[in-house]
Amino acid sequence: MQQSVITARGLGKRYGEARVLTDVDLDIPAGTVFGILGHNGAGKTTLVDILCTRGLPTEGSATICGFDVVRRPHEIRQRIGVTGQFTAVDEGMSGRDNLILIARLLGASVRQAKARADEQLEAFDLVDAADRAAMTYSGGMKRRLDLAMSLVGAPEVVFLDEPTTGLDPISRNGVWLIVERLAQEGATVILTTQYLEEADRLADQIMVLAMGKSVIAGTPTQLKDRLGQRTATVTFEDQFAMVAGASVMSKLQMKPVPALSPFGVTAMVGASSDIMTMVRALDQAGVKITDMTLKEPTLDDVYLSLHHALWTNPSGEAAVV
Amino acid sequence: MSRHAAAARPAHDGKTRVRPSDKSSRSSATPVTASTAVTAGSVVREKGVVAGGEGLGFVAKGADYWSQVRILTARSLRMSFSDRKLLLIGLAQPVVMLVIFSQLFKSLGTLNAFAMFGHNYSDYIIPPTLVNIGLTTALSSSSGIIAEVFTGFIGRLRVMPVSLFTVLIARTISDMARLVIQLLVATIGSVVFLDFHPKGGVVGLTGALLLITFFGWGLGWVFIALSTWARKPETLQLVSFIVMFPVMFGTTAFVPAELLPTWLRYVAKANPLNYAIEASRGLCLQTPLHNNVWLTIAIVSGLALVGIKASAYNFRRAT
């Protein structure tokens, strides 16, 4: 039953000589959150624009819910909700009127539109500000209204293009909860972000875009396994134990460095079996340890290593994979 | 089908829950929003309002074309009439124009060339000033459209199952309504305060106002086409300067043709705006009309057609 809601084959876009998107393939199953990660100018917005029928591809093809993005945009627009990098609310109107307007344009009767606006105001915590002009809203409130408007028609597919850019941490957390809720309710979410933490927390699948190309894709865990470094921080009983322990770890090619904690040493570990080897070796050497913590690699590590790989190999082919 | 939560849920849950252990500590880091939004979340989950749409009551197919026009016209009208500041300035603008033109150049009326108009400069200048009001309102249509592009409203409509062109139709309809009110205020004010004696009577005046409204509507499309092409307020500002000054002054709006230098007389003859000015003057004052009314209607229709075509082309899907 796992049918792809979004597919793309060889999708590309060029402006004259400049290629801003090259050969992107996608197969995104229903009800999942797909994260597109990349820095400014990586091609994220271009890709989203093509998928949500705002821009045309110059190469390849893509479908949303089985409809071709070039030939059947109207059918796609009946099924998607889009939130861009900049809020698109009518600042002169109240939050309620903004929501009613969108519902009416989507085909709701006046009564249905009012009921829907009430639901959305409640769901997005805007009841108290409902009848104030949107220009009086804070940045976080505007963003919530913007999202509420994009979701008025209960879209099957939701595009969120950098939804948390420029938000404070509290508002950002609010947006994250909304994304999680969307996925729970069965929507398919395409999320672009520059923040690794965001993609790591929200996305089921991540694609990293750089210079218009997909350089790597997979689950957050896969990406980290493939590219990140897992580290172990070992805390020893005293200074002597620490020196002895560090030399044991050096012999195991673990490249230990002093940790921030007293008598602590941090070293890279690869597979889980490496940890056992280390503990056994330390035990055999009679070195006493008081604590050991493992740190999983974060997407920051992935991102940095990819970036490094791209700079050293500017042809941009997935050299790291 | 994927609209409903149950269908897609298992796949999703299966994937997301297997996550590194530091996740839970991270999400509890900002307890304030977490709690408020979770409350909202539970409301949502019961009704399924964010996406699962079971309580939606309507299908987001998009309203039909003329419903869209109606809904958006209502919005545009509310925008231009709910903003009291804008409304007041909008009404003050024709008054200021009328007072300046009729009073500043009042002494011109004593010249021989104005004998035909009973040496009353007000009678001479007020019909073209009404045309000028039509022109200014037409210009404001376009800056309104540019503002909409900037607020992102049009960007939102681009990804909705609606026609973008209805936004433009709505805009011209509401601008026409505004123009009619401005023209009525200006005409009544002129008769009461500015010594305006339209010999054409109610019939002539109604004819002139209808013609000017049509003129404003048609030129509105030209400026809308320009705004969809220029996309920048600065460019539009320049265009409006070019239109307002040389085009408006290169006519018989302010002085009759015989007072103009020869070259300017030819400019005025070739200036299409002159037909509208002469036509409205003829209708108001019962001076000879020649073919001016029909020529105005023909020219404005042609310009409107070009404007509509061009703006539809510029407003099509971006590539």
Side-chain angles (χ1 to χ4, degrees):
Chain A
M1 94 125 238
Q2 265 316 341
Q3 213 189 339
S4 295
V5 169
I6 297 172
T7 66
R9 293 287 172 272
L11 206 60
K13 171 109 178 167
R14 57 164 87 211
Y15 294 99
E17 287 293 289
R19 299 174 76 98
V20 289
L21 199 66
T22 309
D23 205 19
V24 171
D25 291 330
L26 294 172
D27 276 292
I28 304 174
T32 59
V33 179
F34 188 82
I36 301 172
L37 191 64
H39 48 79
N40 286 327
K44 302 190 298 283
T45 301
T46 306
L47 178 55
V48 168
D49 277 351
I50 292 171
L51 293 177
C52 71
T53 76
R54 210 162 26 193
L56 295 168
T58 48
E59 290 134 40
S61 63
T63 66
I64 309 287
C65 304
F67 296 102
D68 186 273
V69 291
V70 178
R71 286 189 295 269
R72 307 289 291 278
H74 189 74
E75 283 81 359
I76 292 174
R77 288 173 197 158
Q78 291 174 333
R79 291 167 175 82
I80 62 173
V82 183
T83 293
Q85 284 174 39
F86 307 101
T87 51
V89 304
D90 189 329
E91 305 230 334
M93 295 202 299
S94 69
R96 187 192 304 279
D97 287 344
N98 266 299
L99 290 164
I100 290 176
L101 176 70
I102 298 300
R104 293 279 288 132
L105 286 174
L106 286 173
S109 69
V110 176
R111 204 163 48 87
Q112 288 165 337
K114 281 185 176 157
R116 181 63 180 160
D118 283 338
E119 282 177 354
Q120 291 296 78
L121 288 167
E122 203 177 317
F124 288 85
D125 200 19
L126 289 166
V127 176
D128 294 335
D131 297 306
R132 260 167 41 204
M135 67 178 81
T136 65
Y137 286 17
S138 69
M141 288 164 78
K142 269 183 206 161
R143 178 57 80 177
R144 287 211 300 280
L145 176 59
D146 195 49
L147 275 166
M149 285 164 75
S150 301
L151 302 173
V152 158
E156 286 174 53
V157 180
V158 180
F159 293 92
L160 303 170
D161 193 8
E162 301 197 16
T164 59
T165 299
L167 291 187
D168 61 56
I170 291 181
S171 305
R172 195 175 57 173
N173 205 278
V175 172
W176 285 355
L177 288 163
I178 290 165
V179 175
E180 282 167 353
R181 230 190 283 158
L182 277 169
Q184 272 162 13
E185 290 178 11
T188 309
V189 181
I190 313 299
L191 172 88
T192 79
T193 181
Q194 304 193 37
Y195 306 118
L196 309 144
E197 185 193 2
E198 190 163 286
D200 189 13
R201 168 164 165 177
L202 298 173
D204 300 302
Q205 294 278 327
I206 295 174
M207 181 174 86
V208 182
L209 272 185
M211 300 186 227
K213 290 178 185 179
S214 165
V215 285
I216 192 167
T219 65
T221 323
Q222 281 171 344
L223 292 202
K224 284 183 278 190
D225 279 353
R226 226 138 121 192
L227 294 157
Q229 286 294 351
R230 190 195 251 175
T231 56
T233 299
V234 185
T235 309
F236 296 95
E237 209 173 36
D238 53 31
Q239 184 75 26
F240 296 113
M242 187 181 87
V243 174
S247 76
V248 170
M249 286 157 81
S250 286
K251 274 179 207 146
L252 293 168
Q253 307 295 326
M254 293 176 74
K255 299 180 185 141
V257 291
L260 289 173
S261 54
F263 313 132
V265 167
T266 299
M268 292 191 275
V269 287
S272 300
S273 56
D274 291 353
I275 301 164
M276 291 307 296
T277 315
M278 176 187 76
V279 173
R280 224 173 271 133
L282 287 170
D283 192 42
Q284 276 167 10
V287 182
K288 286 243 163 77
I289 64 174
T290 57
D291 190 27
M292 188 178 85
T293 54
L294 275 178
K295 191 173 154 287
E296 294 295 330
T298 66
L299 274 172
D300 287 279
D301 305 325
V302 175
Y303 202 62
L304 288 173
S305 66
L306 273 174
H307 208 70
H308 180 72
L310 273 172
W311 281 111
T312 48
N313 176 17
S315 78
E317 290 307 331
V320 284
V321 184
Chain B
M1 19 140 190
S2 58
R3 233 163 228 249
H4 300 295
R9 212 162 161 172
H12 177 259
D13 277 14
K15 277 183 185 161
T16 31
R17 300 308 152 223
V18 197
R19 283 288 167 85
S21 55
D22 54 340
K23 183 143 297 166
S24 55
S25 64
R26 228 188 280 163
S27 54
S28 63
T30 44
V32 183
T33 353
S35 65
T36 46
V38 164
T39 333
S42 60
V43 171
V44 165
R45 226 156 288 151
E46 280 161 30
K47 292 186 190 164
V49 294
V50 174
E54 301 190 47
L56 200 57
F58 66 95
V59 182
K61 286 232 171 296
D64 65 78
Y65 197 83
W66 292 108
S67 301
Q68 286 172 33
V69 172
R70 223 179 47 237
I71 293 161
L72 290 169
T73 305
R75 166 179 177 269
S76 291
L77 281 172
R78 205 150 50 138
M79 266 164 68
S80 41
F81 288 103
S82 68
D83 188 340
R84 251 178 278 160
K85 233 184 279 171
L86 190 72
L87 193 65
L88 208 69
I89 295 170
L91 286 179
Q93 176 226 333
V95 174
V96 170
M97 273 201 212
L98 283 169
V99 172
I100 288 179
F101 290 140
S102 69
Q103 300 304 298
L104 192 65
F105 304 119
K106 200 173 185 176
S107 55
L108 279 176
T110 56
L111 294 173
N112 273 342
F114 290 92
M116 192 180 158
F117 305 98
H119 291 291
N120 182 343
Y121 190 66
S122 280
D123 279 354
Y124 186 79
I125 190 66
I126 283 166
T129 306
L130 296 178
V131 175
N132 205 346
I133 291 166
L135 198 61
T136 327
T137 307
L139 257 172
S140 74
S141 293
S142 52
S143 48
I145 297 288
I146 288 207
E148 302 249 70
V149 173
F150 274 105
T151 59
F153 182 71
I154 287 175
R156 180 181 286 285
L157 295 190
R158 267 183 207 283
V159 290
M160 283 175 63
V162 297
S163 156
L164 279 185
F165 197 63
T166 55
V167 180
L168 302 184
I169 298 178
R171 185 81 209 186
T172 55
I173 295 175
S174 73
D175 282 343
M176 270 214 299
R178 195 156 55 104
L179 178 58
V180 168
I181 291 173
Q182 283 180 323
L183 288 176
L184 284 174
V185 169
T187 311
I188 294 168
S190 309
V191 171
V192 176
F193 298 107
L194 294 174
D195 197 25
F196 180 42
H197 299 286
K199 279 207 209 81
V202 178
V203 177
L205 270 180
T206 311
L209 295 191
L210 283 175
L211 188 72
I212 294 169
T213 308
F214 178 66
F215 167 85
W217 171 82
L219 282 194
W221 278 111
V222 174
F223 290 122
I224 284 174
L226 280 174
S227 74
T228 54
W229 168 78
R231 286 171 191 277
K232 261 203 254 162
E234 293 87 344
T235 320
L236 205 64
Q237 194 82 34
L238 279 171
V239 170
S240 60
F241 178 82
I242 292 168
V243 169
M244 289 307 282
F245 285 84
V247 174
M248 193 69 198
F249 283 91
T251 61
T252 57
F254 300 95
V255 288
E258 55 261 46
L259 289 185
L260 292 171
T262 322
W263 70 271
L264 206 51
R265 205 177 302 163
Y266 286 111
V267 170
K269 267 229 166 84
N271 191 340
L273 189 61
N274 221 28
Y275 298 110
I277 288 169
E278 289 296 335
S280 48
R281 191 177 276 146
L283 287 168
C284 288
L285 307 178
Q286 277 195 325
T287 50
L289 275 172
H290 308 293
N291 280 328
N292 287 328
V293 173
W294 307 118
L295 280 171
T296 305
I297 291 175
I299 290 169
V300 170
S301 304
L303 286 175
L305 208 66
V306 172
I308 288 170
K309 281 270 178 206
S311 37
Y313 177 78
N314 288 337
F315 238 43
R316 79 203 187 286
R317 210 164 142 211
T319 53

